[in-house]
Amino acid sequence: MEKTIYRYLTRHSLRQQIWLTALAALSFPFLYAFYELPKRIINGAIQGNPEDFPVGLLGTEFDRTGYLFLLCTIFLILVLINQAFKYYINVYQGLTGERMLRRLRYQLFSRVLRFPQPTFKNVSQGEIIPMITSEVEPLGGFIGEAFALPVFQGGTLIVILTFLFYQNWIMAAAAVALYPIQLYLIPRLQMRVNALGKERVRLVRRLSDRIGETVQGAPEIHIHDTSRFVLADFSDRLGHIFHVRYRIYRQKFVIKFINNFIQQLGPFFFYSLGGYLVIVGSLEMGTLVAAIAAHKDLGAPWKELLAFYQRREDAKIKYEQVVSQFAPVGMPDESVQTEEPGSIDPLTGDLATANLTLTDEIGDNVVDRISLKLSMPSRVAVVGEPGSGATDLAQLLSRLLYPTRGGVSIGGLELAGLPEAITGRRLAYVGQQGYVFAGSLGSNLFYGLKHRPVREFEYDDDAMRQRRWHENEARAAGNTTLDIKADWMDMESAGAGTPEALRARGLRVLEMVDLDDEVYRLGLRGTIDPETRGDTAAAILRARATFRKRLIDDEGMADLVEVFDRSAYNANATVGENLLFGNVGGGAFDMNRLGEDPYVLEVLKKVGLTESILRIGYDTAATMVEIFADVPPDHELFQRYSFVSAEELGELQQWLTRIDREKLEDLSVGERAPIMSLPFKLVPARHRLGMIDDDIQAKLLDAREVFARDLPEEIGTSVEFLDPDAYASTASIQDNILFGKIVYGRPEAADRIGALITEVISELGLRNTIVEVGLGYDVGVSGSRLSSGQRQKLAIARSVLKRPDILFLAEATVALDTVSQGLIMGNLLEEFAGRGLIWVLHKADLAKGFDHVLVMRSGRIVEEGTFEELDRDGSRFRQLLDSAR
Amino acid sequence: MSLNEEVDLLRRIPLFSNIEPSKLKLLAFASERLTFREGTELCRQGDVGDSAYIIIEGSVGIVVSTPNGDARVAEARENDIVGEIAILCDVPRTATVVADRDVEVLKISKELFFRMVEEFPRMAVEIMRELATRLERTTGQLTRTLNS
């Protein structure tokens, strides 16, 4: 990137800068006229000699008043013209600046994408993020005005000065007499501010780095009680920043003080000198007034120029500081990522290295002059102790790392010169901790297929116009014009011709990495939208029917589930669930505070339940207080069994002492609130408080009917009523199949029902459908809602799915349990028969199933051959085998 | 059966007879009320024990596996407590408990049980008495079995 901001902006925005400058120059004649006119108005029209009138202008005769109004009209027009210039210039400046800011951010980000891997060891997220987001922000503003502002304001200044000198040179000279002092002083003061500014940027960057570290290392801080240490460090850093900022303020305001003082000297000279000249009669009054007005206007551009000077210095520092951070040694050219070869052939043929060397930061050769020839396709195990360089070798071979010396070739093709379009599609690498992106599980699984848009998005006319606009803007800012909305899924890469085939392949790969069961379980707990996935919903409804039938047919199962029935009370569901008889979406009803909901209260009143609920609430509260009063609030019993929190219990206790059970009806709605919601949380079969008797249950069934019948339209859509023949979109798939509650008090119920659901699903051939639903599971930021094992399996699956010619795995299954490890290794050895598989193993005995074994030590290959050849007395491989046992 | 009835029932059990009703209510409320069908196992010998059972209705057989096959050593019925040994001394279940017919029980977790014992020394004494009685009985049975 260009070393200075001026070179950067002339390279990318020269035309706009010239146009802006030209506009500024063009506006000057009008500006001059604008200053000239008041003089004419006063001296000519108002105070002029009456004998000069009428005057002839533009072929018309004007009398004195007419002349005055004519001039004033012209004045008004000039005001408009000048403001129009200002408006247009400002907007155009903004546009230019924003485009340049966009370009700059894009370039910086695209550079991050090309950082050689080792760079990330030295540059932290905490530094990179603020540089791209906030630090460059002011640069956009500056770039827009870089040339135009000095020209425009400088020109304005010159126009006004010319005007002043033309009027009376002594006075004008007096007004600007002190400017040279400013010109001398300000840059010197500014230099000190600049130095401080640099210091400030550096300190703030470190600060954000430290904040990022604290967030990531939060558990360590708790474990070791170092919060005070961390706070002290933070305070110290803030202190340094404060000190620097405070000094900047002082310097800035010293500059401001000098500027303002010198500016105010102007009027002093006008009043004294100018006034004297008017008195002695060598200056007209009108001229003095115009001069004073002009001088006042002189202040604005002069101030602007000085402020611009400060901003310019600031922008120069920022630009240089940011850009220097984004130019690491060994960064490949942009074409490595953007080049799209006409055809991409498989990388077949021997994998060879010549003198391959990788040197780390302290100068050690972690991979040391390896010359190697592996005939492909074959499955190769690499073994060695930690630090033997095996992982580095795998990263070099897959071109994740660039070698310090030497090179890697496949079938005679040098990897170093290839674009990522080839290496990234024909090779794959998985390390110990594959990264999982935020989004769905499926989007991560298919992530490795999104190399380029394969099919355009179909826009309607309006949207197309918008898309064109966005495209043009992207082009104007040097951004990519590839459309994120297009279909990026390159099914060919996965060897699938249709979306169905791709899904099938995805499921097959999930099985290969032993992730299918887990995704299946996620799918069971997932939800689908029956509008868009009618087939799935229909299939689940079939499963519901089959499940119900099996429940009755199979011995001893029928009483393990209490099925939802609109005309029967469900003793294993809460009172609230019984009342609503549906699932709530959209937040219209808070299930924890049903007793305070006005509509629920209205329903209770209609069926005559208000008093009963009130009394049950009172009794429940009294029971809770009685039972839990002596239990410490943090006790597990409390958290597990009480349906009021410890704080609420305290409040209830006080409330109960104040209120008489016989006078509950006298309470206002607000006073009832603490107890009204309690009954709705009761599950009769579980809590056994004996309060929801047959009579109450019957009335609750009435309430259920009334609730559904009278539900106002505006909240009607937020409750999805339970219907044995309809799919409930807000409930999980499992709950949809179950369509009821597993009963309390039957210890075997959960296991047997779970098994029956699984059975029904596989009988109906729905397993894959549910795995697909599981693919929609949201994995959270960095996949945090998955276990580390699941993340790793997903990373492996992603690499297998795109069918690389050679798959490199560097201790990729270390974190998994041994059963999964064995399963995945067996599956991949089978999958990659006929292709290349190079696997860095953490235990030598795992090398058994491989065609060829490389043994590494201190960055060199010390032995190679088949497992049997190497497994002999005295070999390094035998040593590793022994230590693995 | 509601909570209050369970509390009445608990009070009739010697182990809990001297405990104030609100504590018994806590015990009942925090315990699961379970039904075991005839022939199913409440717990199995050798498993880790995390709870004891108070029999509300029905009867269970206590079965110990010996080299010569399973031997039924005792029976427990209403108001009896079974399975407390494993939660008292952290040993695996010493016997298998099988429901003779459909059985209703209160399942008391180890945690809750200890809390009750800690708070009510009287309960500890009752447990000692109960255990001693049982020891005496099983010793007697053993002697008879050996003699016969």
Side-chain angles (χ1 to χ4, degrees):
Chain A
M1 269 168 99
E2 290 71 19
K3 287 268 182 303
T4 71
I5 191 163
Y6 273 94
R7 267 189 236 164
Y8 185 75
L9 63 89
T10 42
R11 168 145 178 222
H12 296 295
S13 69
L14 188 61
R15 256 197 309 187
Q16 285 91 326
Q17 302 290 0
I18 290 174
W19 173 231
L20 276 168
T21 313
L23 273 176
L26 208 66
S27 70
F28 295 140
F30 297 97
L31 196 67
Y32 187 86
F34 175 73
Y35 287 110
E36 173 70 18
L37 206 56
K39 196 184 87 182
R40 290 265 179 98
I41 294 176
I42 295 172
N43 291 348
I46 303 173
Q47 294 186 325
N49 190 351
E51 279 151 35
D52 293 346
F53 292 99
V55 289
L57 211 66
L58 306 164
T60 323
E61 298 263 294
F62 288 96
D63 65 1
R64 193 165 172 171
T65 338
Y67 186 57
L68 174 69
F69 284 121
L70 173 73
L71 289 183
C72 286
T73 311
I74 296 174
F75 181 80
L76 198 62
I77 292 170
L78 282 174
V79 169
L80 276 175
I81 291 175
N82 281 319
Q83 292 309 315
F85 264 111
K86 264 197 184 146
Y87 171 79
Y88 183 81
I89 289 174
N90 279 333
V91 169
Y92 198 79
Q93 268 180 9
L95 179 75
T96 310
E98 288 304 317
R99 275 187 188 149
M100 289 294 279
L101 177 62
R102 181 176 177 175
R103 179 189 293 272
L104 187 58
R105 280 187 170 147
Y106 180 83
Q107 286 186 342
L108 294 179
F109 185 72
S110 112
R111 280 169 168 257
V112 173
L113 285 183
R114 281 180 283 134
F115 275 9
Q117 282 307 309
T119 314
F120 289 108
K121 288 184 190 164
N122 303 320
V123 187
S124 74
Q125 271 185 34
E127 288 177 325
I128 291 184
I129 296 170
M131 280 195 262
I132 300 183
T133 53
S134 53
E135 279 184 33
V136 296
E137 183 105 28
L139 295 185
F142 170 73
I143 289 173
E145 62 187 25
F147 290 111
L149 190 133
V151 170
F152 182 72
Q153 300 293 359
T156 309
L157 195 73
I158 290 168
V159 168
I160 299 172
L161 271 179
T162 317
F163 173 75
L164 282 180
F165 271 97
Y166 184 68
Q167 300 310 318
N168 187 305
W169 69 270
I170 302 174
M171 220 169 53
V176 298
L178 294 169
Y179 278 18
I181 300 177
Q182 270 174 306
L183 285 178
Y184 173 80
L185 266 181
I186 304 299
R188 269 154 193 77
L189 289 170
Q190 185 62 40
M191 252 159 63
R192 280 157 69 181
V193 175
N194 289 353
L196 287 171
K198 258 187 191 169
E199 175 81 3
R200 188 190 65 192
V201 170
R202 200 172 55 80
L203 287 174
V204 171
R205 235 181 244 167
R206 292 255 182 84
L207 185 79
S208 68
D209 187 28
R210 185 46 61 103
I211 296 172
E213 252 198 341
T214 308
V215 170
Q216 286 184 336
E220 299 296 328
I221 294 170
H222 296 302
I223 290 297
H224 301 295
D225 179 32
T226 50
S227 58
R228 269 159 295 190
F229 180 69
V230 172
L231 284 173
D233 174 69
F234 196 71
S235 167
D236 182 57
R237 284 169 195 275
L238 287 180
H240 282 300
I241 294 175
F242 168 83
H243 186 58
V244 168
R245 289 184 70 98
Y246 180 57
R247 275 160 65 202
I248 292 178
Y249 271 109
R250 278 202 316 219
Q251 293 285 343
K252 268 193 176 164
F253 285 109
V254 164
I255 296 176
K256 205 162 188 181
F257 173 82
I258 294 172
N259 280 341
N260 285 343
F261 176 71
I262 293 174
Q263 196 58 35
Q264 295 306 322
L265 280 177
F268 169 75
F269 287 116
F270 281 118
Y271 294 134
S272 50
L273 211 65
Y276 173 76
L277 288 176
V278 172
I279 292 170
V280 300
S282 61
L283 190 70
E284 284 175 59
M285 182 64 191
T287 315
L288 180 61
V289 171
I292 290 175
H295 174 265
K296 224 170 137 194
D297 290 337
L298 194 64
W302 180 241
K303 255 188 182 164
E304 279 285 338
L305 276 178
L306 291 173
F308 170 78
Y309 175 73
Q310 284 178 330
R311 281 203 297 279
R312 188 186 77 143
E313 293 304 303
D314 216 34
K316 268 164 76 178
I317 301 169
K318 283 222 169 93
Y319 179 85
E320 280 156 37
Q321 272 188 329
V322 167
V323 167
S324 66
Q325 295 289 322
F326 285 81
V329 185
M331 189 173 72
D333 192 68
E334 202 178 354
S335 62
V336 162
Q337 289 180 336
T338 53
E339 194 182 318
E340 181 70 41
S343 69
I344 296 173
D345 297 323
L347 288 175
T348 49
D350 294 349
L351 175 64
T353 70
N355 210 20
L356 189 66
T357 305
L358 180 71
T359 311
D360 66 9
E361 300 97 272
I362 48 173
D364 284 346
N365 287 351
V366 279
V367 171
D368 196 6
R369 292 162 292 157
I370 290 183
S371 293
L372 169 77
K373 193 165 183 183
L374 291 170
S375 54
M376 285 285 143
S378 75
R379 297 162 301 180
V380 181
V382 186
V383 294
E385 283 170 336
S388 64
T391 302
D392 301 282
L393 179 65
Q395 294 192 348
L396 285 171
L397 296 181
S398 59
R399 219 197 52 175
L400 193 59
L401 286 179
Y402 286 84
T404 317
R405 278 187 304 281
V408 181
S409 68
I410 301 177
L413 213 55
E414 278 295 327
L415 282 196
L418 296 181
E420 285 190 3
I422 294 177
T423 58
R425 293 178 213 183
R426 308 311 321 174
L427 303 177
Y429 170 90
V430 188
Q432 274 193 29
Q433 286 182 327
Y435 189 82
V436 168
F437 295 93
S440 72
L441 207 148
S443 70
N444 272 289
L445 177 62
F446 298 117
Y447 186 80
L449 305 180
K450 295 174 182 173
H451 315 295
R452 66 203 157 101
V454 284
R455 217 174 13 262
E456 278 183 28
F457 183 81
E458 287 182 19
Y459 292 95
D460 60 25
D461 285 355
D462 262 7
M464 194 64 200
R465 233 166 289 136
Q466 272 197 15
R467 168 70 197 146
R468 288 268 167 273
W469 185 85
H470 278 291
E471 230 173 64
N472 287 335
E473 270 309 316
R475 209 171 285 122
N479 284 201
T480 180
T481 52
L482 299 178
D483 186 4
I484 189 69
K485 270 202 191 141
D487 184 4
W488 287 69
M489 195 76 85
D490 185 4
M491 294 187 291
E492 295 286 315
S493 292
T498 60
E500 291 73 35
L502 181 65
R503 274 208 295 275
R505 168 81 185 149
L507 299 188
R508 173 80 199 93
V509 172
L510 285 181
E511 277 169 37
M512 253 183 248
V513 300
D514 192 28
L515 191 60
D516 55 326
D517 277 341
E518 285 157 280
V519 180
Y520 166 74
R521 278 197 290 279
L522 291 175
L524 269 185
R525 281 187 274 138
T527 56
I528 56 161
D529 181 4
E531 300 276 319
T532 54
R533 305 189 60 170
D535 294 352
T536 309
I540 300 299
L541 284 178
R542 279 201 302 283
R544 180 190 291 178
T546 314
F547 174 77
R548 182 86 69 89
K549 192 165 170 302
R550 291 285 300 275
L551 212 50
I552 298 163
D553 294 350
D554 287 14
E555 199 184 333
M557 294 284 273
D559 56 352
L560 296 184
V561 176
E562 190 174 10
V563 173
F564 292 129
D565 177 354
R566 197 173 171 131
S567 58
Y569 191 84
N570 193 319
N572 288 286
T574 66
V575 170
E577 287 167 334
N578 266 290
L579 172 67
L580 260 64
F581 200 65
N583 298 299
V584 181
F589 292 98
D590 180 354
M591 289 305 278
N592 284 320
R593 305 181 68 172
L594 274 186
E596 294 170 47
D597 187 273
Y599 179 66
V600 171
L601 290 177
E602 192 186 312
V603 170
L604 293 180
K605 202 167 169 190
K606 279 184 195 160
V607 298
L609 256 178
T610 314
E611 272 93 69
S612 310
I613 291 290
L614 203 50
R615 226 168 289 281
I616 294 171
Y618 185 94
D619 293 344
T620 308
T623 310
M624 285 296 119
V625 169
E626 185 190 355
I627 293 179
F628 288 104
D630 299 340
V631 181
D634 54 350
H635 200 279
E636 203 201 328
L637 284 176
F638 219 118
Q639 285 151 18
R640 201 134 46 114
Y641 299 107
S642 170
F643 41 82
V644 287
S645 68
E647 302 97 73
E648 283 171 330
L649 194 78
E651 283 166 30
L652 277 182
Q653 208 161 5
Q654 287 181 358
W655 190 90
L656 287 169
T657 53
R658 271 191 292 120
I659 309 291
D660 184 352
R661 187 174 188 271
E662 300 311 314
K663 292 185 182 146
L664 287 175
E665 277 91 68
D666 303 342
L667 298 175
S668 68
V669 173
E671 285 171 311
R672 291 172 180 183
I675 59 161
M676 269 311 263
S677 291
L678 287 180
F680 293 99
K681 298 179 193 169
L682 285 175
V683 180
R686 179 179 176 210
H687 296 118
R688 318 185 299 277
L689 294 181
M691 293 177 185
I692 313 295
D693 58 24
D694 293 347
D695 181 45
I696 303 279
Q697 293 190 3
K699 279 196 178 148
L700 276 168
L701 287 180
D702 292 344
R704 180 187 289 178
E705 290 304 318
V706 172
F707 183 92
R709 192 189 65 205
D710 298 349
L711 194 61
E713 236 171 76
E714 63 271 21
I715 51 173
T717 49
S718 61
V719 182
E720 192 179 25
F721 292 108
L722 292 168
D723 178 348
D725 302 317
Y727 186 88
S729 62
T730 41
S732 71
I733 288 193
Q734 184 164 283
D735 285 344
N736 263 293
I737 297 176
L738 190 61
F739 198 68
K741 289 275 178 183
I742 296 179
V743 298
Y744 286 96
R746 294 298 297 277
E748 76 280 26
D751 286 348
R752 288 188 65 185
I753 295 301
L756 182 60
I757 288 180
T758 306
E759 218 177 288
V760 167
I761 284 168
S762 48
E763 248 171 56
L764 293 181
L766 282 177
R767 200 187 132 87
N768 282 354
T769 311
I770 288 169
V771 176
E772 272 172 41
V773 175
L775 289 181
Y777 178 75
D778 178 9
V779 298
V781 177
S782 326
S784 56
R785 294 178 65 204
L786 298 177
S787 70
S788 64
Q790 289 171 332
R791 285 199 289 272
Q792 187 60 13
K793 287 174 182 179
L794 191 54
I796 299 174
R798 175 198 288 163
S799 287
V800 174
L801 188 84
K802 71 173 184 185
R803 293 190 314 160
D805 298 321
I806 305 176
L807 172 64
F808 298 88
L809 295 162
E811 307 192 356
T813 57
V814 173
L816 305 178
D817 61 82
T818 37
V819 178
S820 287
Q821 248 180 53
L823 209 75
I824 295 173
M825 187 170 283
N827 287 338
L828 291 190
L829 280 170
E830 192 184 321
E831 169 75 14
F832 279 84
R835 280 189 282 159
L837 178 67
I838 295 181
W839 201 320
V840 178
L841 298 166
H842 61 291
K843 278 165 75 183
D845 54 342
L846 295 172
K848 199 139 203 178
F850 289 81
D851 305 326
H852 194 76
V853 181
L854 301 179
V855 184
M856 284 194 72
R857 187 177 198 179
S858 309
R860 300 197 57 92
I861 291 173
V862 288
E863 289 165 11
E864 64 175 304
T866 64
F867 188 96
E868 288 70 26
E869 285 164 13
L870 295 178
D871 186 12
R872 60 182 143 73
D873 286 343
S875 74
R876 173 72 187 154
F877 185 64
R878 175 66 71 78
Q879 262 182 356
L880 289 170
L881 273 177
D882 289 343
S883 66
R885 283 195 187 106
Chain B
M1 196 189 278
S2 79
L3 200 62
N4 288 330
E5 289 167 300
E6 283 165 14
V7 171
D8 285 342
L9 181 136
L10 284 174
R11 212 175 344 197
R12 286 203 295 274
I13 301 175
L15 205 55
F16 303 115
S17 57
N18 291 305
I19 296 170
E20 53 182 292
S22 73
K23 297 300 164 222
L24 286 184
K25 226 178 215 181
L26 172 62
L27 182 69
F29 186 72
S31 301
E32 267 181 277
R33 170 83 168 260
L34 299 176
T35 308
F36 286 92
R37 291 273 178 247
E38 184 182 334
T40 55
E41 290 172 357
L42 279 70
C43 60
R44 172 174 274 276
Q45 184 173 351
D47 285 356
V48 179
D50 61 348
S51 49
Y53 301 93
I54 293 168
I55 299 168
I56 297 172
E57 207 190 318
S59 66
V60 297
I62 313 224
V63 179
V64 181
S65 68
T66 68
N68 307 323
D70 288 354
R72 188 181 166 102
V73 294
E75 194 181 280
R77 55 187 70 250
E78 276 108 55
N79 300 359
D80 282 346
I81 181 164
V82 293
E84 73 286 12
I85 294 173
I87 68 172
L88 273 174
C89 54
D90 277 328
V91 293
R93 295 284 191 199
T94 52
T96 301
V97 179
V98 187
D100 284 345
R101 48 199 166 91
D102 287 3
V103 174
E104 290 263 308
V105 299
L106 264 189
K107 180 183 175 186
I108 299 178
S109 70
K110 183 176 186 168
E111 229 243 312
L112 181 66
F113 189 77
F114 267 106
R115 190 175 155 72
M116 303 301 281
V117 172
E118 262 167 36
E119 226 168 284
F120 309 105
R122 179 81 216 185
M123 205 170 128
V125 174
E126 290 296 340
I127 291 171
M128 284 198 297
R129 196 195 303 281
E130 169 76 21
L131 291 178
T133 315
R134 227 181 271 175
L135 182 65
E136 194 272 332
R137 199 166 57 207
T138 33
T139 318
Q141 279 171 343
L142 190 63
T143 320
R144 277 198 301 282
T145 318
L146 288 175
N147 289 347
S148 62

